[in-house]
Amino acid sequence: MVESNIGFIETYRDPSGERGEWEGFASMINKERTKAFGKLVESAPKHIPKLPWPKDFEKDKFLAPDFTSLEVLTFAGSGIPAGINIPNYDDVRQNEGFKNVSLGNVLSAKSPNEPTPFIRSEDQEVFDKYKDEAFEVQVGLHELLGHGCGKLLQETEPGKYNFDINNPPVSPVSGKKISTYYKPGETWGSVFGGMGPSYEECRAECVAMSLCPDYDILQIFGIGNGSEDINGEAGDVLFVCYLQMARAGIAALQFWDPNSSKWGQPHMQARFAILQSFLSAGPEFCKLQHSKDDLSDLTIHLDRTKIQSHGRPAVNDFLQRIHIFKSTADKEAATELYNRMTNVDDWYMNKVRPEVIRQAKPRKVFVQANTMLEGGTVTLKEYEATPEGLVQSFVDRDYI
Ligand SMILES: [Zn+2]
């Protein structure tokens, strides 16, 4: 089963964000992985109630998104994403619908064997072994359940509410009846404005961190047998899910600009916040350690035996606040919380960030295959993972 997409699609490369860049890809559906994602969507009604809020703050019916996992044959364009939500044309989305696709072999493309910065040497092996599986679990939960869950409490038109205004739900954060909600004409975007995208990414990432310690869910992804197994394969994947998130929280500092004191990338800002929530669970669960003054030996210490007892509760506490403030249009509380959790203090700015930049690896490029017709049959031509191989594959794409 083949899927393709071609046209003037993304506008990232145009400084004014207007003109699309010509790009296209040809890919095959990964049926097995698509099925795993489908099972996750089907089981959503069972898992969503495990999230840290009462049903007043959840949709009556979970709207299952469409999701397909693809293996890319060739993606022609200046940059290759790991996942896409297409098409970008709003009229097509409204009338025909849209789909989420994950580009499986982009996520799992093998990089050269090199130690990952900030991972302890004793964790390096398990990290390398399971980082792809862990990332797949994270992305699946993020996209399908994370962005898909939650209800906005609204006055949908003057005098009409999608909740009981005479007996409003009690916020699990304050223990009091809620007093804020979306007014007629207000949307999530109009209330939260510029902070909205990163805040929502953080909510989705927290949902992933809240649910991945559930061994039933890991089993849906083909990991383990559904029973708790801290030191087995499922426990390894879970540990790497948390470790990878903590590492991303440190690496995120590359995307923080000291001149403007601003974050340049919504997902990375979100991951920094989640690292702070891990750290808030106490040094017996997660700490950043170094013995050298320049932090060149900075590593993350994360205790896998304390994910259930410390990590998950800390994430749930943070997630509950994020979620309730979004649900109730409480921008003031949300802003206070998110600014505090993503604040880059002196130590992160002057000590950690320079080390993150020093250890940053160059951006990976992808050497991609081509197919060609030879005597009526299609053949696959692959290239060496070298600069020459990369150039040759571009040349062949143009001229054969
Ligand atoms: Zn997202």
Side-chain angles (χ1 to χ4, degrees), residues 139 142-143 146-147 197 200-202 204-205 267 271:
V139 170
H142 173 116
E143 298 293 348
H147 289 310
E200 171 61 10
E201 291 311 328
C202 189
E205 289 284 56
H267 296 82
R271 290 162 188 158

Side-chain angles (χ1 to χ4, degrees), residues 13-63:
R13 299 266 295 177
D14 179 12
S16 63
E18 290 289 324
R19 291 164 297 182
E21 176 191 4
W22 182 259
E23 62 179 83
F25 70 77
S27 63
M28 292 74 70
I29 294 180
N30 183 328
K31 286 191 187 171
E32 215 168 285
R33 240 189 271 192
T34 301
K35 212 162 85 191
F37 284 118
K39 263 200 246 165
L40 182 63
V41 168
E42 265 170 47
S43 64
K46 190 173 118 202
H47 300 304
I48 286 177
K50 296 173 184 166
L51 292 166
W53 49 83
K55 61 178 179 3
D56 294 318
F57 300 92
E58 193 49 69
K59 291 185 191 85
D60 297 334
K61 197 174 176 306
F62 175 70
L63 297 171

Side-chain angles (χ1 to χ4, degrees), residues 75-228:
F75 198 121
S78 63
I80 307 177
I84 336 175
N85 184 296
I86 39 177
N88 286 344
Y89 302 103
D90 265 330
D91 52 330
V92 180
R93 297 169 73 95
Q94 292 272 331
N95 302 324
E96 311 288 338
F98 62 94
K99 66 193 295 181
N100 293 294
V101 299
S102 134
L103 306 179
N105 58 337
V106 172
L107 288 174
S108 60
K110 280 279 162 285
S111 47
N113 248 343
E114 52 195 9
T116 309
F118 314 117
I119 300 296
R120 293 191 305 173
S121 53
E122 55 265 56
D123 294 333
Q124 199 80 56
E125 195 184 322
V126 71
F127 184 84
D128 284 343
K129 189 165 173 196
Y130 291 114
K131 62 182 197 288
D132 296 342
E133 277 92 344
F135 195 59
E136 189 177 353
V137 169
Q138 183 195 324
V139 170
L141 291 172
H142 173 116
E143 298 293 348
L144 300 183
L145 301 191
H147 289 310
C149 74
K151 173 180 176 178
L152 303 182
L153 303 183
Q154 288 172 304
E155 183 178 1
T156 47
E157 51 186 276
K160 275 198 171 172
Y161 302 83
N162 67 353
F163 62 97
D164 185 355
I165 187 70
N166 298 315
N167 186 24
V170 173
S171 157
V173 175
S174 64
K176 295 186 192 127
K177 289 182 177 178
I178 62 130
S179 55
T180 54
Y181 48 86
Y182 293 84
K183 305 276 158 46
E186 282 182 351
T187 62
W188 151 249
S190 75
V191 172
F192 279 74
M195 76 175 281
S198 177
Y199 190 88
E200 171 61 10
E201 291 311 328
C202 189
R203 198 182 68 88
E205 289 284 56
C206 283
V207 167
M209 290 298 108
S210 174
L211 293 179
C212 69
D214 199 300
Y215 286 83
D216 278 349
I217 293 180
L218 291 173
Q219 194 190 12
I220 297 176
F221 288 92
I223 302 156
N225 62 6
S227 49
E228 179 158 334

